[in-house]
Amino acid sequence: MQQPDLSDAHWRKSSLSGSGPSCVEMAFVGNDVAVRDTKNRDGGTLIFHRNEWTTFINGIKSGHYDNLT
């Protein structure tokens, strides 16, 4: 997968994260979603297709990942 251009990405994090440094940020970039660590923004970015991201978020909302060990 080719890395999308992130130079104009509008990064955001959950309002539930507060002001702490231990969270991730995400940005919608075309048909992709970019995710990075706020503690190391230059350390790399994960790229997901929007369909993958939607499946992941729906899994979180439905509790699919609540009991993983």
Side-chain angles (χ1 to χ4, degrees):
M1 171 185 280
Q2 184 175 352
Q3 179 82 4
D5 180 10
L6 302 175
S7 59
D8 291 329
H10 174 72
W11 294 97
R12 55 186 167 166
K13 64 180 182 172
S14 170
S15 59
L16 299 175
S17 297
S19 61
S22 299
C23 52
V24 295
E25 295 175 306
M26 57 81 58
F28 292 110
V29 183
N31 287 324
D32 298 315
V33 178
V35 181
R36 67 183 182 184
D37 185 348
T38 58
K39 292 181 302 229
N40 186 8
R41 290 184 172 115
D42 295 325
T45 303
L46 298 173
I47 305 296
F48 301 93
H49 190 275
R50 281 193 188 223
N51 291 342
E52 295 171 316
W53 185 253
T54 299
T55 299
F56 175 63
I57 295 301
N58 288 338
I60 291 171
K61 290 179 179 179
S62 71
H64 179 76
Y65 306 108
D66 289 353
N67 296 315
L68 297 179
T69 56

